[in-house]
Amino acid sequence: MSFFNKVLASIGIGSSKVDTKLAKSSYEAGEIIRGEVEIYGGNVEQQIDAIFLTLYTTYIKEVDDHKYTSKAPIEKYRVSEPFVIKPNERKTLPFSFQLPYDMPITVGSTKVWIKTELDIRSGADSEDKDYIDIRPSGIAARLLNEVQNLGFVLRKAECEKASYKYRSKYPFIQEFEYVPVSGPFRGRLDELEIVFLSQTETQVDILMQVDRRARGFGGFLAEALDADESHVRLSVSVDDLPNLSNKLEQTISRYS
């Protein structure tokens, strides 16, 4: 009977299972995430080589004018050393790790989840999947809030495949597309796009695409040639926060 149990466990029947339980489901980028991984022994004793937690997100890829959703790993964490789980035994392993500051936030169609993988020697691996909400870090949230205070409204936000020019450690970038509905840029701009190029606890580097509204024949010609768009890099640190609104307005005005 034991032999047949081992055979069945090798293909996932009666094998060990894993379940990850998080302290909460909503986090700020850069926050410490805590939880427990529960392992339930199956019908036979099994060697567990490792337990991995991997952060994943979704992003949009375009191939031959067709868009489809892909997934990409953000970070991978090992939360255990090798151990043996006995039949019907239950183990609980606590864990904690820090979320990256530059991870995407869950807005629009963007999703983030934690995939738990139980690496079972000579057996079918067990998996678990837990979706989480990610809010922007403190400095990123302040920047996005000041953009709205200037009269912009978020029209669309999504992660999309990054061009080689702007690719960093991730194959995607998260783009925030705003339109001016009030304030100093209403009637002057068609839209403002913001991409976070890098983020730390104390500084963010962004790329802004300032899309000017066409005025007259020359303006329409420039719009047709995409000459009405300006790409502006801007660094914002915690020292800039007291005067951030003025800094953003002056920078955007220079190209509007």
Side-chain angles (χ1 to χ4, degrees), residues 55-247:
L55 280 170
Y56 279 93
T57 191
T58 54
Y59 70 103
I60 304 299
K61 296 177 71 173
E62 185 171 343
V63 178
D64 297 329
D65 295 327
H66 293 286
K67 292 185 177 182
Y68 64 95
T69 301
S70 186
K71 67 177 182 179
I74 301 172
E75 290 285 354
K76 187 172 186 176
Y77 309 89
R78 181 172 181 153
V79 296
S80 81
E81 296 301 321
F83 64 93
V84 172
I85 186 83
K86 296 180 180 179
N88 301 314
E89 182 184 5
R90 175 177 171 178
K91 282 184 178 290
T92 300
L93 300 177
F95 67 85
S96 65
F97 59 84
Q98 184 175 20
L99 295 170
Y101 282 99
D102 59 353
M103 69 180 301
I105 65 174
T106 48
V107 61
S109 61
T110 300
K111 293 180 173 59
V112 172
W113 67 93
I114 298 175
K115 179 182 178 181
T116 307
E117 298 172 275
L118 192 64
D119 187 1
I120 304 174
R121 183 180 299 179
S122 302
D125 294 345
S126 178
E127 297 180 355
D128 185 36
K129 190 176 185 180
D130 297 274
Y131 286 93
I132 56 176
D133 292 323
I134 301 296
R135 307 184 304 276
S137 65
I139 188 169
R142 176 67 182 277
L143 187 147
L144 295 176
N145 186 60
E146 292 296 350
V147 169
Q148 295 185 60
N149 289 341
L150 289 174
F152 291 93
V153 170
L154 183 65
R155 178 165 62 188
K156 185 175 70 172
E158 68 179 13
C159 289
E160 58 184 43
K161 183 179 179 180
S163 66
Y164 288 104
K165 184 177 181 180
Y166 298 115
R167 181 171 295 185
S168 56
K169 63 179 181 179
Y170 305 135
F172 60 85
I173 56 174
Q174 188 167 31
E175 183 179 281
F176 299 83
E177 185 178 298
Y178 290 90
V179 292
V181 296
S182 62
F185 300 106
R186 184 173 183 268
R188 294 170 60 188
L189 298 181
D190 278 336
E191 63 182 21
L192 174 71
E193 296 182 9
I194 295 177
V195 171
F196 287 89
L197 299 176
S198 65
Q199 295 188 61
T200 66
E201 184 179 6
T202 59
Q203 180 172 311
V204 298
D205 297 318
I206 65 172
L207 176 70
M208 293 191 295
Q209 179 177 296
V210 182
D211 191 353
R212 296 180 295 277
R213 173 161 291 184
R215 299 184 184 90
F217 178 76
F220 284 110
L221 182 60
E223 189 174 67
L225 299 174
D226 288 335
D228 60 330
E229 297 177 354
S230 297
H231 294 83
V232 187
R233 286 178 178 261
L234 184 68
S235 294
V236 176
S237 71
V238 291
D239 295 333
D240 296 315
L241 295 184
N243 197 41
L244 181 55
S245 180
N246 289 335
K247 181 174 183 175

Side-chain angles (χ1 to χ4, degrees), residues 18-37:
V18 65
D19 182 26
T20 296
K21 296 182 178 179
L22 304 174
K24 55 183 182 177
S25 60
S26 181
Y27 298 87
E28 183 178 298
E31 188 176 347
I32 301 292
I33 187 169
R34 293 181 172 85
E36 295 178 340
V37 177

